[in-house]
Amino acid sequence: MGNGTLSAIDVARLYPTPVFIYYADKQLPEWNQEAEKVLQLFPGESMEERLAQLISWVELDVGAYAGKMDSSILTKEIRLNQEMRFYEVITSPMYGGVGEFEGIMLVLRDVTALRAAEARRLEREKEETLAANLLSLLAPKNWIAPTRWQVFGRSIPARALGGDYYDIIPIQEEKKVILVVADVMGKGVQAALWMTMARQVIRQAAARYRDTGSTVEWIHQSLFRDLYHAGAFITMLFMVLDVESGRITYVNAGHHPALRIHGEQAEFLSGKGPALGMTEKPGYTVNFQAIQPGDTLLLYSDGILDSWQADGRGLGKEGLAKVVQQARLLKAREMLDGIFKAARAYPEGQQRWDDMTAVVVRRE
Amino acid sequence: MNIQFEENGTVLICKLNEDLDMASANLFKTKVEQYIASVSFEKMVFDLANIGFMDSTGVGALVQMIRLIQGRGARVRLTGYNEEIGDVLDLIGVLRIVGAE
């Protein structure tokens, strides 16, 4: 050019993607180094033959762009060895200084990886939606004994599917209520499958309930072998509420302790043992406590404690105790609202967060 | 996953320099499995001083490696973990399967 301005092909050489420049007044185009690699994908004895194949592949008609201002975009595929590759083809008309049509610029963008990722995402979404629909059918019902007890639970998975699980199971003609909060290692479909299996086992255990210790032992025995061999584990807080006396008996298998609010006092209930699947002889201890009129009990998953706040720290046990204490006079459902609002104080999607589950027990 | 291995007599030290979570757990397992396949040791130390966070998938990966090493007849020790990670390892029962020294 000599006058300091860059020609179209000079610009194309700076592009990291394949570019072909077809001039209106020339038979052969020009192309950059990346485009050279694309040409090698087409069969042909000479470069002219390969170019002819390329034109046919992208359905190019240079003359058709004369007088047009718009670019066209289409996606084309080509087989390379045994693998299909996908290119986005962007064709734009070029005009000179006085508005004369000079030709077209053809830019190719390899979108194979993007398409594969998109296909995987769609497949995963489909799978998760199906499973989430199934799981929503399995969601436990809240339990209320008018003027005496309110038991409300809620679980929000971080993805379409989560590894958290809670259950509220009235037994013995509603003289007792089994409360469970469990957290399966990991996330996604695999964790959800473990969770469904654990739910099944826990429900079976509830149906044959005699006492808390032997019930948890049965759950452990039923799940241990599968969990151990898969290298997985489930943390679980298993609790039985005696409706008449307010007494609770519970076993903690590697889970965060329940929080009891009595008057203005907040207390995390003692008792711990290894998570399900961790060891063959866990030696679980059965613990006893009482829920008195006016008391609140909270069972929760680690997602409630760990979810990041605006200051970059988790809500933590102290923060949770404060939230529940402040909400102690509210109804169970409103208290749940407050807990989830506090735990999700930061903008969604901007920070790491986990499945969140909580069960509130209020004695009136 | 940034991991360093150091052999000190019969002790193999595995230093983790990156959080152990869902994103890094598989690579952590692969690197440990590959390394220990070709060396002999009596004790393996996982040095967790440089990691600030471990999610449940990360704990699961660590548990699988502990079992693999114990299955070979070697002892395992965890060192350097911060209070938060220590609480999680204690709560879930990992410290119990490693045992005190």
Side-chain angles (χ1 to χ4, degrees):
Chain A
M1 299 291 286
N3 59 2
T5 54
L6 290 174
S7 68
I9 190 61
D10 290 331
V11 174
R13 287 193 182 108
L14 302 173
Y15 271 53
T17 55
V19 179
F20 294 87
I21 310 286
Y22 280 86
Y23 297 98
D25 58 354
K26 287 185 192 164
Q27 202 181 348
L28 284 180
E30 292 182 310
W31 55 86
N32 66 4
Q33 209 174 349
E34 288 301 310
E36 182 82 28
K37 294 177 197 163
V38 173
L39 278 177
Q40 300 305 323
L41 301 179
F42 293 93
E45 294 286 316
S46 64
M47 197 53 81
E48 284 81 0
E49 281 181 28
R50 290 197 168 114
L51 282 165
Q53 297 261 356
L54 172 83
I55 287 180
S56 157
W57 180 59
V58 299
E59 303 164 38
L60 182 65
D61 178 1
V62 177
Y65 283 87
K68 303 265 176 64
M69 297 304 292
D70 296 335
S71 300
S72 71
I73 303 176
L74 71 159
T75 305
K76 303 296 291 183
E77 58 188 63
I78 189 166
R79 183 175 291 279
L80 177 61
N81 301 324
Q82 291 304 309
E83 189 195 353
M84 291 304 287
R85 299 212 65 84
F86 295 87
Y87 284 89
E88 193 174 76
V89 182
I90 304 161
T91 314
S92 311
M94 300 186 301
Y95 291 93
V98 291
E100 76 282 14
F101 177 65
E102 286 190 328
I104 60 101
M105 180 186 264
L106 191 76
V107 180
L108 301 179
R109 196 162 71 99
D110 188 339
V111 292
T112 312
L114 279 175
R115 281 181 67 109
E118 178 66 6
R120 279 198 301 274
R121 191 183 64 78
L122 287 173
E123 184 59 30
R124 198 177 67 218
E125 269 186 15
K126 196 171 128 192
E127 201 179 34
E128 292 189 349
T129 305
L130 277 171
N133 287 341
L134 174 68
L135 294 178
S136 69
L137 293 174
L138 306 176
K141 287 189 173 63
N142 297 320
W143 181 81
I144 299 171
T147 73
R148 292 192 297 159
W149 293 95
Q150 295 178 34
V151 182
F152 279 80
R154 189 180 299 166
S155 187
I156 302 180
R159 290 162 43 172
L161 281 178
D164 274 10
Y165 158 67
Y166 78 95
D167 219 337
I168 301 168
I169 314 167
I171 56 169
Q172 299 178 358
E173 296 169 339
E174 305 210 359
K175 288 188 180 121
K176 287 184 165 59
V177 181
I178 292 177
L179 308 165
V180 185
V181 172
D183 184 356
V184 179
M185 180 197 99
K187 289 188 182 66
V189 173
Q190 199 182 17
L193 288 173
W194 279 116
M195 188 265 266
T196 313
M197 191 174 103
R199 178 188 186 277
Q200 188 68 17
V201 167
I202 290 167
R203 288 251 160 167
Q204 280 176 14
R208 60 173 71 193
Y209 175 87
R210 285 202 316 273
D211 63 81
T212 303
S214 64
T215 305
V216 172
E217 180 59 26
W218 192 85
I219 293 168
H220 158 70
Q221 294 288 349
S222 304
L223 291 170
F224 176 73
R225 195 168 295 275
D226 285 339
L227 286 172
Y228 187 87
H229 287 299
F233 60 84
I234 298 174
T235 71
M236 175 185 76
L237 183 56
F238 183 96
M239 186 175 281
V240 181
L241 167 69
D242 185 280
V243 172
E244 195 55 46
S245 66
R247 194 169 90 131
I248 49 170
T249 55
Y250 61 94
V251 168
N252 191 337
H255 202 81
H256 284 289
L259 170 65
R260 179 175 59 188
I261 305 289
H262 173 70
E264 291 193 354
Q265 282 188 323
E267 182 192 5
F268 287 94
L269 301 184
S270 61
K272 68 176 189 181
L276 298 167
M278 194 59 68
T279 173
E280 192 170 8
K281 298 193 187 309
Y284 290 122
T285 313
V286 180
N287 303 276
F288 305 88
Q289 291 286 346
I291 308 297
Q292 293 174 11
D295 285 3
T296 299
L297 188 72
L298 179 75
L299 292 73
Y300 54 92
S301 68
D302 57 357
I304 295 278
L305 297 180
D306 297 344
S307 56
W308 287 18
Q309 304 293 292
D311 63 0
R313 298 172 62 87
L315 180 63
K317 283 162 91 172
E318 214 172 290
L320 178 65
K322 209 168 155 187
V323 168
V324 179
Q325 242 172 344
Q326 283 170 351
R328 69 182 186 278
L329 300 177
L330 299 176
K331 297 274 184 195
R333 189 193 297 274
E334 291 163 349
M335 186 180 278
L336 268 185
D337 290 342
I339 292 163
F340 277 84
K341 197 175 162 195
R344 298 175 69 175
Y346 58 84
E348 232 171 82
Q350 287 189 12
Q351 296 283 11
R352 175 166 56 197
W353 68 291
D354 199 357
D355 304 335
M356 293 184 203
T357 298
V359 175
V360 168
V361 179
R362 274 195 54 77
R363 185 170 186 187
E364 294 181 52
Chain B
M1 184 72 200
N2 186 344
I3 303 180
Q4 285 170 285
F5 292 94
E6 191 185 310
E7 291 171 45
N8 186 356
T10 58
V11 180
L12 175 62
I13 299 164
C14 172
K15 193 174 178 115
L16 280 74
N17 296 316
E18 196 180 313
D19 287 351
L20 188 53
D21 57 16
M22 203 168 192
S24 61
N26 275 338
L27 207 49
F28 161 73
K29 287 192 287 187
T30 306
K31 286 195 171 182
V32 172
E33 281 166 0
Q34 280 174 353
Y35 197 93
I36 66 171
S38 57
V39 294
S40 64
F41 54 90
E42 290 176 9
K43 183 164 96 173
M44 182 146 174
V45 177
F46 286 100
D47 182 345
L48 309 176
N50 288 340
I51 68 173
F53 175 77
M54 199 187 284
D55 69 5
S56 64
T57 309
V59 177
L62 184 62
V63 168
Q64 286 173 35
M65 291 306 98
I66 290 169
R67 285 177 182 159
L68 180 70
I69 294 155
Q70 288 177 336
R72 284 177 44 157
R75 286 171 292 137
V76 179
R77 193 176 161 211
L78 307 178
T79 61
Y81 45 79
N82 65 28
E83 194 183 340
E84 196 182 332
I85 291 176
D87 285 348
V88 171
L89 295 175
D90 180 40
L91 184 72
I92 293 172
V94 180
L95 298 183
R96 183 172 155 152
I97 62 167
V98 171
E101 290 204 22

